[in-house]
Amino acid sequence: MKLLGDGVAIDPLQSNIYAPCSGKVSAVLSAGHAIGITSERGDEILIHLGIDTSRLDKKHIRLFCRQNDFVAKGDLIGRFEYHSLPAGVAATVVMVITNLAGHEHLEKQVDCNVLAGETIIEIKQGN
C-alpha cells in the first residue's frame, strides 16, 4: 500500500548491512531495528531490518552508526543476525524512499540477486 513510501523488500543472504547511499544518519530507532538516512541530495531512505523486529529490543541487530553520523555509500552500518531470529519474526529487510515528490518514481531491480554495492533503486523524474 506504500503507506511510508515506495521501495523494495530484500531477503538477506548475509548479515552485513551497508549504506545504500552517502548521507547523514537522520534516525536510529531505539530498538535498533530501523535506520533513516538522508542522502546528499535530500532523499530520505528508511532501512527496516526484519519484520516485527522492534519487539526484540536490539537482539540480533548491531548497529555501527548513530544519529547525525555521515556515512558513505557502501559503509558497513550494521549487522543483522537474521539466521537466528525467533519464530514469527521475518528476516526481510525493507528499504523505502519516504519523501518522493509527486513527479518522481522509482526504477527498481526486482526478483533478482543483488550484491552489496549494486544499485537496486534509482529515483527518476517524470512518469
Side-chain angles (χ1 to χ4, degrees):
M1 292 176 40
K2 301 180 185 180
L3 294 176
L4 292 176
D6 197 0
V8 295
I10 303 163
D11 291 322
L13 297 176
Q14 55 107 10
S15 297
N16 291 337
I17 303 296
Y18 298 97
C21 62
S22 296
K24 183 179 178 180
V25 177
S26 51
V28 176
L29 290 160
S30 61
H33 66 290
I35 303 163
I37 298 175
T38 302
S39 76
E40 293 174 321
R41 74 174 212 183
D43 304 312
E44 296 172 359
I45 298 107
L46 173 68
I47 303 165
H48 195 283
L49 305 174
I51 307 296
D52 206 18
T53 50
S54 61
R55 66 184 174 97
L56 299 179
D57 193 34
K58 298 182 186 177
K59 292 178 186 158
H60 309 282
I61 299 169
R62 182 171 174 214
L63 299 180
F64 305 129
C65 60
R66 294 180 303 226
Q67 189 166 343
N68 297 318
D69 284 354
F70 179 84
V71 295
K73 181 179 179 177
D75 282 356
L76 180 65
I77 59 173
R79 196 160 280 129
F80 178 38
E81 302 301 332
Y82 68 91
H83 46 76
S84 60
L85 293 172
V89 178
T92 305
V93 175
V94 178
M95 187 168 62
V96 176
I97 311 301
T98 61
N99 68 332
L100 284 176
H103 58 278
E104 297 173 325
H105 71 278
L106 296 185
E107 193 170 283
K108 303 180 260 188
Q109 301 292 323
V110 295
D111 297 324
C112 62
N113 293 324
V114 179
L115 299 174
E118 292 182 343
T119 299
I120 59 172
I121 296 177
E122 286 188 73
I123 299 173
K124 300 288 187 174
Q125 299 294 319
N127 300 342

